Amino acid sequence: MKKWTKILISVILLAIVVTAIVLPIVLPVENEPNTTTEATTVAPNPTNNRIECYPFQNMAKGNCTSAGCLWDSKNQHPNCYLPDSSVYGYEINGTVTDLPNQMGFTLDLRRRRAADDSTTFSLYGGDFDQVTFEVNYYSDSTLGLRFYPKDANASELRPPVALTLTETPLTDNVHYETRIVSSENGEPFNVQIIRKSSQAVIFDTSLGGLTIAEQFLMISTKLPTRYLYGFGENTHDNLLHDMRYKMWPIFSRGQAPGMRDINVYGAQPFYMASEEDGSSHGVFLFNSHAMDVTTMPYPGLTFRAIGGMLEFFVFLGPEPESVVKQYSDVIGKTFMPPYFALGFQLSRWGYRNTSNLKDAVDRTRDLEIPHDVQYADIDYMDARKDFTIDPVNFGDLPALVDEVKKDGLRFGIILDPAIAHERTGYLPFRRGDNNKVFVQWANSSYKPEGQAANDNNLYGRVWPIRETAFPDFFKTKTKQWWTEEIRIFREEQKLNFDILWIDMNEPSNFLTGTLLQCPTNRWDDPPYGTMAAHVGATGRLSEKTICMASNFGENDEFLHYEVHSLYGYSHAMATQSALRQILTGKRSMVLSRSTFAGSGKYAGHWLGDNYSTWNQMANSIIGMIEFNMFNIPYVGPDICGFNLNTEEEMCERWMELGAFYPFSRNHNSFIFKDQDPAQWPDTVAVSGRKALNIRYRLLPYLYTLFYDSHTIGGTVVRPLYHEYPKDISARSIDKQFMWGPALLISPVLEQGKLSVDVYIPDDVWYDYYTGERIEVLGKTNLSAPRDHINLHLRGGYILPAQKPALNTMLSRQNNFELLVPLNDQNSASGKMFWDDGESFNTIEDGLYQINTFELKADTLTIKVEKVSNKSWSGITQLLDTIQFMGWSKNPTSVAVNGVILGKDSYSYNETNQNLFLFYEFNMNDDFVVEFQ
Ligand SMILES: *[C@@H]1O[C@H](CO)[C@@H](O)[C@H](O)[C@H]1NC(C)=O
Ligand SMILES: *[C@@H]1O[C@H](CO)[C@@H](O)[C@H](O)[C@H]1NC(C)=O
Ligand SMILES: *[C@@H]1O[C@H](CO)[C@@H](O)[C@H](O)[C@H]1NC(C)=O
Ligand SMILES: *[C@@H]1O[C@H](CO)[C@@H](O)[C@H](O)[C@H]1NC(C)=O
Ligand SMILES: *[C@@H]1O[C@H](CO)[C@@H](O)[C@H](O)[C@H]1NC(C)=O
Ligand SMILES: *[C@@H]1O[C@H](CO)[C@@H](O)[C@H](O)[C@H]1NC(C)=O
């Protein structure tokens, strides 16, 4: 018997089970060594669960083994890997201590050591000998686990991001138990989180490798299955992760998503996984340092982060949507977008002047393409400086904005965080500098030569010609200055924008590091740089950004090294707050390129500077689904692609798909040819208009999905597996997606295809266009002419709709409709949230209404479920058309509130089994509609 096996058995025999109520020593039954072969298959470091020693160092055999790691000569990855936990990791060094009111517990650990009591093995140095492991219960389905140096104040190791956390004693309904797996002195510490209902082990550190060091934290966990989703921001070809030792960097970077496997704009350390029985759980690593995560075929995961503490939140679901909701309970729920933000939006970088931009608006309107928001990119600025207008080409922009807004259009402008270093003549810099709002060097000795002795600002280079300083949005005075600059700009220039689009906030810096190189220090050159440092040209963390050794925070308490990935988060928070102060009473929108967990409270996100390729069109679905899991549901990529010239067919298909992005905007880069849909009046414009009219028709449903996400959490756009978690085939579908539970979208993503391979889950589905029930379920092929995107409605749901129009100001004046696809019980239900679409805080102030719809036993009940404030004036538009799908017989009579309707009030088509009811329902009253 090998030593490992012996350890394993003793580990199991001496397991301590920590449950909610008592902390007895219990044998975990399912791990009985004699009843399972698990123990023998988990040999020490079989090739599917190795933890690599020294990634990126190209270890050869000699230097691998001399560093204390093991070497595999068979050339299997990773061939230099950690020895087993007998010389590595942590062991129990104390007893389980309950937190007050049994809201969790702590346990002291110490580093494993050799027989002679020496701790000889360290990967990167700085290991803490004494570590506290703490478990916090936040609810019956959410718990926290953290590891921090014994004498540290854990709250000071947390990122400066506000979470909503209330520790609570557990109830009998708790979904999980925490099991400390260990043995007598000298055995490694491991912890498992177990789902009580199925006994599935959903988190399990027994793969080894636990490290808590000053600048290197590592932990591995076994996964219950290979169905792993999430982590960001990266682009990939499949929603399901590749489990073959695939490493992903997580660190904000102003990096276009064209290259594979690299870190792009945001940092989203969150994953979801499916278990055998279809239950799902989610795990959030609350850490803003650079990190990477590596999949393991075991299946498992290894996290490597370079500072702070390891603090995980585990969400037990068990439904996938419950996981996303539980995550939102901790990080915050999405902002409620104004209604106009759900309309189609148009932008490009490279409008030459105001009339050039106006031409795009006009030709879109001339072709009757719905259009709600027009943007101006950095072209409008004078010498690309924030808070200026190019007087030659865009001097009349404010007048144009006012003009288009009369027609119901809204206007968005871009702002970058970086501020041109121009002391004379450019007040935004001078006022900011006088208020010390800019990021400072951590040590004045790091400043490049020649910088004035009394100037400690860190300068980089972004869009302005001159070098730029970077506002530190963690400072109160910076937020005040930013608000004031926006207010002054808006008022002085009379530029009545509605939306702020904030870019370059990773923060991005064209001159990597700073104007010169970053100094050498332990922050710019940490012992382990993470994958982020290795995928850039410079091989340093400062790739495309500013130096790590610079200061942030009210009292310079943070290093850029610690809060880099929070720059976009803090920028979005400051910008949303500024808009609330400036646009008094009106809801606005912030669109941010860089995000972190919780950014959804403040901003939406576009997927960045994508390329006009079919592959990136397909990948956009994955990005959009992932950001919905991250609770940033207001998301979409640049329709028709940003970089490269698009092609007619691609742009046509992309407009069709883009009509179903929550954030639906066509945007293009400088130098590439115009790609607004009117460029191709007979194809892209026609198909785009058709798809957008469907979008506009369904906006009341989309808006209601946002209301739910804003109030209770959960996704707006979701993958099929969220609705069909037990369906194994649904778990890998990523070329189709859903709006909420009821609308399935199946776009064409390949050139030259006039049909599309789809997967239709086993359920009742109707073709959106014909209203016919579809017969073939599972894997099938659907016809998809160039102007057609396949859409299916799910039986059992009632979708509120409204007749479309050229923009939402107009469509909101039209009458409502209901789409009622029936399930096999001939029933369906749904609801609609409605408010004025633009006032701030309508939900909090009770200025809204919710109508519910329920069809059951041949009776449709329409109810005003909620009008919570007397000053809400009600809905003026009527509901005038209801389409029932899957209605099996022509009714002999239809009565509304007991009054029988004339035969011309409804029409039944036996062939497609659709029943149309034409009747003017006042949305502020209740109705009972009976069918016989
Ligand atoms: C290991 O050896 C290789 C080849 O000699 C060398 O390039 C590399 O830098 C070494 N790595 C370490 C960590 O010593
Ligand atoms: C914990 O470890 C420290 C230092 O290694 C040792 O002095 C102490 O006795 C240990 N405590 C327990 C309870 O094992
Ligand atoms: C830990 O740090 C937090 C935040 O700085 C502070 O509020 C708290 O008082 C500290 N706790 C202790 C025990 O020092
Ligand atoms: C605006 O730009 C367009 C395109 O470059 C050009 O043709 C036009 O003359 C310009 N108009 C004005 C008023 O400058
Ligand atoms: C700043 O750098 C200088 C020179 O490298 C060093 O002597 C000094 O200790 C540093 N100061 C701080 C506060 O780290
Ligand atoms: C009834 O439905 C069929 C199948 O969708 C369609 O072809 C036909 O035109 C419809 N009839 C009427 C009167 O609308």
Side-chain angles (χ1 to χ4, degrees):
M1 195 185 265
K2 292 220 173 76
K3 184 168 167 252
W4 175 267
T5 325
K6 245 191 317 202
I7 291 171
L8 202 94
I9 290 170
S10 53
V11 165
I12 290 160
L13 290 178
L14 295 160
I16 302 165
V17 177
V18 181
T19 63
I21 304 110
V22 282
L23 303 169
I25 296 176
V26 180
L27 287 179
V29 175
E30 78 288 1
N31 276 358
E32 276 284 342
N34 295 335
T35 61
T36 165
T37 56
E38 267 290 280
T40 48
T41 55
V42 187
N45 297 306
T47 56
N48 64 0
N49 68 350
R50 289 175 176 170
I51 298 166
E52 187 174 13
C53 272
Y54 306 106
F56 308 108
Q57 287 190 19
N58 295 322
M59 299 296 275
K61 183 177 179 179
N63 49 17
C64 174
T65 52
S66 67
C69 298
L70 304 181
W71 179 257
D72 178 348
S73 50
K74 291 191 221 92
N75 227 3
Q76 305 193 67
H77 180 83
N79 48 18
C80 180
Y81 56 101
L82 271 187
D84 72 48
S85 315
S86 61
V87 296
Y88 198 67
Y90 285 83
E91 65 193 30
I92 291 181
N93 181 233
T95 51
V96 167
T97 308
D98 273 343
L99 292 174
N101 303 321
Q102 301 222 335
M103 296 189 295
F105 63 89
T106 62
L107 180 59
D108 284 344
L109 311 177
R110 66 169 191 171
R111 274 174 83 196
R112 302 273 294 142
R113 54 205 63 223
D116 67 356
D117 215 34
S118 63
T119 48
T120 50
F121 191 86
S122 171
L123 286 170
Y124 298 97
D127 299 60
F128 291 101
D129 279 322
Q130 307 275 326
V131 161
T132 302
F133 170 65
E134 182 173 330
V135 171
N136 303 98
Y137 306 135
Y138 297 113
S139 77
D140 285 343
S141 39
T142 300
L143 76 160
L145 311 177
R146 52 186 175 174
F147 297 87
Y148 52 88
K150 184 166 162 43
D151 299 318
N153 178 342
S155 37
E156 290 188 342
L157 292 172
R158 272 188 173 161
V161 166
L163 303 184
T164 307
L165 293 170
T166 324
E167 287 157 48
T168 15
L170 300 179
T171 74
D172 289 345
N173 298 323
V174 62
H175 287 299
Y176 52 84
E177 55 189 71
T178 313
R179 189 175 293 169
I180 307 293
V181 187
S182 193
S183 70
E184 66 216 68
N185 278 345
E187 303 299 351
F189 160 86
N190 289 307
V191 59
Q192 296 179 334
I193 308 294
I194 291 150
R195 182 184 299 285
K196 281 177 91 176
S197 62
S198 63
Q199 290 296 303
V201 181
I202 63 177
F203 195 89
D204 182 350
T205 66
S206 61
L207 290 169
L210 179 65
T211 309
I212 310 293
E214 271 178 80
Q215 288 186 273
F216 184 73
L217 298 97
M218 180 164 74
I219 192 167
S220 295
T221 176
K222 290 179 186 169
L223 292 169
T225 70
R226 305 170 133 260
Y227 296 101
L228 173 72
Y229 308 88
F231 295 122
E233 184 175 4
N234 321 98
T235 13
H236 33 113
D237 288 338
N238 297 101
L239 184 62
L240 269 178
H241 273 283
D242 177 351
M243 300 306 291
R244 294 169 297 184
Y245 286 111
K246 187 96 186 141
M247 188 187 259
W248 293 99
I250 298 180
F251 193 57
S252 294
R253 182 167 294 164
Q255 168 68 56
M259 280 164 58
R260 288 294 139 78
D261 303 359
I262 53 178
N263 46 308
V264 301
Y265 314 100
Q268 298 290 344
F270 174 75
Y271 72 85
M272 282 178 70
S274 296
E275 299 151 39
E276 292 296 347
D277 69 352
S279 297
S280 280
H281 63 271
V283 176
F284 169 44
L285 172 51
F286 187 37
N287 187 305
S288 57
H289 288 77
M291 67 172 83
D292 49 44
V293 56
T294 309
T295 65
M296 255 184 255
Y298 184 81
L301 284 174
T302 300
F303 293 89
R304 293 175 174 89
I306 58 174
M309 67 175 157
L310 289 177
E311 178 169 36
F312 293 95
F313 294 92
V314 183
F315 309 101
L316 276 283
E319 300 82 14
E321 282 296 308
S322 308
V323 173
V324 178
K325 286 177 185 150
Q326 288 154 8
Y327 184 32
S328 78
D329 290 340
V330 170
I331 61 168
K333 294 176 179 38
T334 181
F335 75 100
M336 184 67 196
Y339 201 84
F340 66 76
L342 304 187
F344 177 65
Q345 318 191 14
L346 192 59
S347 180
R348 78 155 296 154
W349 175 24
Y351 289 127
R352 305 295 156 161
N353 51 46
T354 308
S355 58
N356 187 221
L357 183 154
K358 175 77 165 48
D359 287 348
V361 173
D362 288 346
R363 62 183 176 253
T364 305
R365 195 175 175 98
D366 288 347
L367 289 174
E368 299 187 335
I369 297 160
H371 181 195
D372 262 82
V373 183
Q374 177 63 42
Y375 288 85
D377 202 331
I378 54 172
D379 310 304
Y380 80 82
M381 297 177 182
D382 186 17
R384 295 173 165 180
K385 289 183 293 191
D386 273 2
F387 311 118
T388 67
I389 292 180
D390 169 358
V392 178
N393 297 306
F394 287 90
D396 49 353
L397 183 67
L400 171 90
V401 169
D402 289 343
E403 188 192 328
V404 300
K405 283 178 72 167
K406 284 192 199 124
D407 297 332
L409 221 64
R410 303 294 184 134
F411 214 89
I413 59 163
I414 199 165
L415 278 182
D416 296 326
I419 299 296
H421 177 201
E422 257 183 62
R423 183 152 270 287
T424 45
Y426 182 54
L427 292 170
F429 176 81
R430 197 197 301 179
R431 288 189 287 247
D433 199 40
N434 290 347
N435 281 302
K436 294 247 167 297
V437 307
F438 299 119
V439 173
Q440 309 275 301
W441 284 105
N443 184 325
S444 58
S445 77
Y446 293 155
K447 279 197 303 199
E449 265 176 58
Q451 189 168 327
N454 61 354
D455 179 1
N456 206 29
N457 290 340
L458 181 157
Y459 295 107
R461 173 74 49 88
V462 196
W463 291 117
I465 321 294
R466 298 286 310 266
E467 70 267 22
T468 55
F470 296 84
D472 168 10
F473 294 100
F474 283 105
K475 289 187 162 79
T476 305
K477 55 195 177 185
T478 308
K479 294 181 212 170
Q480 289 163 348
W481 160 84
W482 183 246
T483 303
E484 283 316 300
E485 294 304 331
I486 294 171
R487 188 201 306 277
I488 291 166
F489 178 53
R490 192 179 156 85
E491 285 173 5
E492 287 188 350
Q493 303 280 357
K494 302 189 168 36
L495 182 60
N496 295 313
F497 55 82
D498 304 282
I499 286 174
L500 284 177
W501 166 26
I502 54 176
D503 195 12
M504 310 302 285
N505 54 8
E506 289 72 27
S508 208
N509 176 17
F510 296 152
L511 293 183
T512 278
T514 57
L515 280 177
L516 303 169
Q517 280 279 308
C518 289
T520 303
N521 56 61
R522 60 190 294 222
W523 314 115
D524 284 286
D525 310 280
Y528 177 69
T530 74
M531 184 173 175
H534 293 275
V535 291
T538 56
R540 300 181 84 192
L541 285 173
S542 51
E543 174 82 12
K544 295 183 197 281
T545 191
I546 58 176
C547 301
M548 296 297 115
S550 50
N551 282 339
F552 280 76
E554 209 71 81
N555 304 301
D556 292 337
E557 64 271 37
F558 308 117
L559 286 161
H560 185 224
Y561 178 83
E562 301 167 283
V563 295
H564 167 78
S565 291
L566 301 179
Y567 196 89
Y569 171 91
S570 62
H571 189 204
M573 183 169 16
T575 307
Q576 190 219 37
S577 154
L579 283 173
R580 284 189 177 181
Q581 293 170 58
I582 294 164
L583 305 177
T584 37
K586 290 286 181 240
R587 234 182 291 167
S588 179
M589 188 182 70
V590 177
L591 196 58
S592 179
R593 193 166 76 175
S594 187
T595 63
F596 186 74
S599 282
K601 283 184 285 189
Y602 311 111
H605 174 58
W606 85 104
L607 295 172
D609 297 347
N610 66 349
Y611 286 75
S612 301
T613 64
W614 291 90
N615 176 257
Q616 291 223 353
M617 189 198 319
N619 288 350
S620 73
I621 297 175
I622 295 163
M624 170 175 65
I625 287 173
E626 288 176 338
F627 271 90
N628 271 267
M629 290 180 187
F630 304 150
N631 279 292
I632 306 180
Y634 190 80
V635 62
D638 291 345
I639 296 171
C640 300
F642 178 77
N643 292 302
L644 305 178
N645 283 323
T646 196
E647 292 155 18
E648 181 179 3
E649 183 187 355
M650 183 196 302
C651 194
E652 184 174 22
R653 290 303 196 186
W654 212 328
M655 282 296 297
E656 292 169 8
L657 164 60
F660 297 92
Y661 294 146
F663 167 56
S664 177
R665 184 181 71 163
N666 178 320
H667 177 52
N668 193 7
S669 180
F670 200 70
I671 77 162
F672 300 111
K673 66 180 191 200
D674 278 330
Q675 65 181 34
D676 53 289
Q679 295 306 311
W680 300 274
D682 302 323
T683 53
V684 182
V686 172
S687 301
R689 179 171 60 229
K690 191 175 159 193
L692 286 171
N693 275 325
I694 299 170
R695 175 192 184 87
Y696 274 62
R697 185 180 183 215
L698 296 175
L699 285 185
Y701 175 61
L702 183 64
Y703 196 50
T704 303
L705 293 174
F706 269 103
Y707 164 78
D708 280 343
S709 182
H710 171 71
T711 52
I712 57 170
T715 64
V716 169
V717 154
R718 60 189 67 153
L720 270 66
Y721 96 87
H722 275 214
E723 291 297 319
Y724 301 94
K726 291 185 189 343
D727 177 346
I728 298 286
S729 302
R731 291 188 189 174
S732 55
I733 301 297
D734 52 18
K735 309 246 177 308
Q736 298 164 264
F737 59 97
M738 298 181 72
W739 268 16
L743 176 70
L744 174 63
I745 297 129
S746 308
V748 170
L749 301 166
E750 288 170 87
Q751 187 169 16
K753 287 283 169 68
L754 295 175
S755 68
V756 57
D757 291 324
V758 298
Y759 180 74
I760 311 283
D762 185 10
D763 209 331
V764 179
W765 294 98
Y766 300 88
D767 184 295
Y768 169 83
Y769 300 90
T770 65
E772 279 174 75
R773 182 161 174 176
I774 59 163
E775 302 300 336
V776 184
L777 302 177
K779 290 202 168 84
T780 178
N781 182 274
L782 300 172
S783 165
R786 281 274 293 265
D787 67 343
H788 186 83
I789 178 166
N790 274 282
L791 301 171
H792 293 91
L793 296 169
R794 183 179 180 188
Y797 292 85
I798 297 182
L799 295 85
Q802 191 170 32
K803 292 174 180 62
L806 285 184
N807 58 49
T808 56
M809 183 189 82
L810 299 170
S811 70
R812 286 176 58 90
Q813 294 164 22
N814 291 342
N815 281 349
F816 292 101
E817 304 171 276
L818 290 184
L819 301 176
V820 187
L822 273 61
N823 63 15
D824 279 337
Q825 287 73 49
N826 293 325
S827 62
S829 62
K831 70 169 184 227
M832 181 174 91
F833 165 82
W834 203 251
D835 63 0
D836 73 4
E838 60 171 17
S839 293
F840 180 59
N841 266 5
T842 54
I843 298 165
E844 295 77 352
D845 297 344
L847 296 170
Y848 69 99
Q849 160 172 345
I850 289 173
N851 288 62
T852 59
F853 315 106
E854 179 156 35
L855 175 73
K856 209 164 60 184
D858 291 338
T859 303
L860 174 69
T861 311
I862 300 177
K863 265 197 191 146
V864 185
E865 196 68 51
K866 196 162 179 190
V867 182
S868 41
N869 191 319
K870 287 210 169 55
S871 46
W872 165 248
S873 53
I875 299 181
T876 42
Q877 291 71 37
L878 301 167
L879 164 62
D880 68 9
T881 307
I882 305 181
Q883 180 183 3
F884 299 88
M885 303 174 198
W887 196 277
S888 57
K889 63 174 195 331
N890 197 358
T892 53
S893 84
V894 179
V896 175
N897 287 351
V899 179
I900 293 183
L901 302 185
K903 293 279 179 203
D904 55 352
S905 296
Y906 54 93
S907 99
Y908 181 67
N909 183 333
E910 187 149 12
T911 318
N912 64 9
Q913 303 216 316
N914 273 224
L915 172 67
F916 282 86
L917 176 63
F918 308 107
Y919 181 87
E920 293 188 339
F921 296 93
N922 182 328
M923 293 294 274
N924 308 302
D925 295 333
D926 294 348
F927 294 92
V928 176
V929 186
E930 290 162 294
F931 300 88
Q932 300 220 313

